[in-house]
């Protein structure tokens, strides 16, 4: 029982880390100039 609870906690932590990484990466990409934003849009780089 304790092992299954720990696995659930680890899964939640991994999911949270993934969500934070995704949010940070999107914020990073949003910091580029409008010209770079246009290039990213043309390549459909950011589908979220």
């Amino acid at each position: 029982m304790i092992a299954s609870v720990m696995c659930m906690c680890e899964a939640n932590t991994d999911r949270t880390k993934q969500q934070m990484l995704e949010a940070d990466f999107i914020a990073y990409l949003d910091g580029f100039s409008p010209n770079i934003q246009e290039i990213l849009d043309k390549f459909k780089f950011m589908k979220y």
Side-chain angles (χ1 to χ4, degrees):
M1 178 71 176
I2 292 174
S4 64
V5 171
M6 289 180 68
C7 288
M8 289 174 54
C9 290
E10 289 176 11
N12 287 339
T13 301
D14 289 343
R15 188 175 309 126
T16 301
K17 287 179 184 177
Q18 182 180 1
Q19 290 170 337
M20 290 173 59
L21 179 62
E22 181 180 1
D24 289 345
F25 186 64
I26 290 170
Y28 169 76
L29 293 176
D30 285 342
F32 284 108
S33 70
N35 291 337
I36 300 300
Q37 294 290 334
E38 184 179 345
I39 292 169
L40 293 173
D41 288 342
K42 288 191 187 275
F43 284 101
K44 299 179 178 158
F45 187 76
M46 294 176 35
K47 284 188 167 183
Y48 57 92

